[in-house]
Amino acid sequence: MTAVVPQTPASPLDEVRAWFADRASGVDDGGEDVRAGLAWLGAADLIAPDGSGLPQAVTLVEAVAGECLSSAFSLWAQRIVVEYLSRGAGEHADVLVGLRTGERVGATAMAPALRDLAGLEPVPVRATPDGEGLRLDGPIRWASNLFPGAAVVLPVRVGESGRAVVRIDTDRAGVQVAVRPELLALNGTASSSVTLDEVRVEPHEILARDLAGFVGPVRPAFLLIQAAFCSGLARRSAQEAERAATGANAELAPDAAAAVGRAVALHERLHAAAAAPHALAPADLLRLRLDAARTATDATRVEAAARGGAGYLVGSPVARRLREGAFLPIQSPTEGHLRWELSRCA
């Protein structure tokens, strides 16, 4: 009689990894887009389950990023828009339901807020009071998840010194989303620019009129979930580099082992920070986010070297991860922005 060996059930994160791995290539080249992944996660109640906090978000984004950075990046945007609307003033209950289920897409255009608060440049979108609401004009220079019907959260400049945070929709009158350009990677993320021309914002769509007061509490989640998609990419590339550093490439084994060590250390720092995000000093938070991007780009380089010519094929996962890693230094806040802020924390 043949013994029956019980099968260990796949963990939820294993299922997540397998689902996104199967679709990574199509999302990367733009043949597919990230909405299917958001809908799948939403149907499983994984985007922002009731009572979940930053550790759950970091764990999920990290797992997705190991298979598809495009999808993890989009998930970060979706999750942080949930954070904005949950914390902000106004009425957003219906939008939040759609975001949590993945039936609605969320886009964050809050990068200018970070630059404004750092003193680098003022928020570019201007807001004119219009009754109890606002009317918006100006550019959103870059954002992602700009699908039809997406809920976009952005900062606006009211007069010379006033600042506010508002919610609009991509299909609203006066919102013109530019045709997406071809990117080195992440072509399925609907990333582009937007022009706003007399876009009406209703009073219940105003999240805050104190930009610093709004950004301060959400900034740890903003940066740590970004660090999570860096960490997921770093861990996967470092592991693949270690597997490939054998035979003729055995001389690269120390480099691969060092990449694994850095990725593990980053993972541990990230999860410790997610468990107590407000215990980090601002400089520590910035440094973690900067280190995360550097660790990931270093790991993708080592993986490419260890895999050799096989990884140079344009459709290979190695080449995709190398291109994904090239995005991280320019993801806002960029490496230059992070280093500028850190220089002023000394």
Side-chain angles (χ1 to χ4, degrees):
M1 180 177 179
T2 304
V4 176
V5 179
Q7 297 294 311
T8 302
S11 73
L13 286 182
D14 287 338
E15 294 179 11
V16 166
R17 293 184 184 100
W19 197 94
F20 284 95
D22 286 345
R23 293 157 179 83
S25 178
V27 173
D28 172 63
D29 65 21
E32 302 177 39
D33 66 53
V34 294
R35 287 176 291 182
L38 292 174
W40 186 83
L41 290 170
D45 193 24
L46 290 174
I47 292 174
D50 286 341
S52 67
L54 192 50
Q56 182 270 346
V58 162
T59 297
L60 179 65
V61 169
E62 196 177 34
V64 174
E67 307 304 331
C68 176
L69 186 70
S70 296
S71 297
F73 175 62
S74 173
L75 176 57
W76 158 74
Q78 186 88 353
R79 183 64 180 79
I80 203 64
V81 171
V82 170
E83 190 81 8
Y84 296 152
L85 300 187
S86 299
R87 289 176 176 268
E91 300 171 12
H92 316 286
D94 291 346
V95 179
L96 280 166
V97 169
L99 292 171
R100 288 190 167 104
T101 61
E103 296 171 359
R104 185 96 181 259
V105 176
T108 171
M110 288 292 288
L114 303 183
R115 296 182 65 80
D116 188 298
L117 292 171
L120 292 171
E121 64 179 346
V123 167
V125 174
R126 303 176 306 281
T128 304
D130 185 11
E132 294 185 0
L134 297 168
R135 200 163 292 278
L136 312 185
D137 293 277
I140 297 174
R141 296 193 177 104
W142 195 255
S144 298
N145 279 6
L146 293 172
F147 296 101
V152 186
V153 176
L154 68 151
V156 297
R157 177 160 42 105
V158 186
E160 289 304 313
S161 58
R163 300 290 187 271
V165 179
V166 303
R167 169 175 64 84
I168 60 172
D169 306 318
T170 54
D171 53 6
R172 185 163 304 181
V175 177
Q176 301 172 333
V177 179
V179 176
R180 72 165 179 87
E182 287 298 316
L183 305 175
L184 191 63
L186 286 80
N187 279 295
T189 59
S191 297
S192 189
S193 59
V194 182
T195 301
L196 306 180
D197 182 13
E198 295 193 353
V199 176
R200 169 72 182 177
V201 175
E202 301 299 334
H204 70 272
E205 297 173 321
I206 300 173
L207 280 71
R209 293 185 180 272
D210 173 6
L211 186 61
F214 181 81
V215 169
V218 300
R219 198 177 195 202
F222 185 99
L223 294 175
L224 290 175
I225 301 176
Q226 283 189 341
F229 60 66
C230 298
S231 178
L233 177 61
R235 293 177 76 198
R236 180 57 185 274
S237 278
Q239 291 164 358
E240 294 296 336
E242 195 168 47
R243 292 189 186 99
T246 60
N249 285 324
E251 289 299 317
L252 293 171
D255 292 355
V260 169
R262 290 192 295 270
V264 169
L266 169 63
H267 170 81
E268 292 173 350
R269 285 173 64 196
L270 172 62
H271 285 266
H278 296 288
L280 271 70
D284 293 332
L285 184 61
L286 294 167
R287 194 169 292 109
L288 175 55
R289 167 63 176 80
L290 179 60
D291 289 348
R294 287 174 168 173
T295 300
T297 53
D298 288 348
T300 62
R301 183 196 63 77
V302 175
E303 181 192 7
R307 283 289 292 153
Y312 199 64
L313 296 173
V314 70
S316 74
V318 181
R320 172 172 52 78
R321 286 190 286 270
L322 188 64
R323 289 184 285 103
E324 290 171 343
F327 163 71
L328 299 178
I330 63 168
Q331 161 62 28
S332 187
T334 64
E335 180 172 342
H337 179 167
L338 291 166
R339 291 175 66 175
W340 187 91
E341 284 207 57
L342 278 168
S343 73
R344 279 146 184 81
C345 291

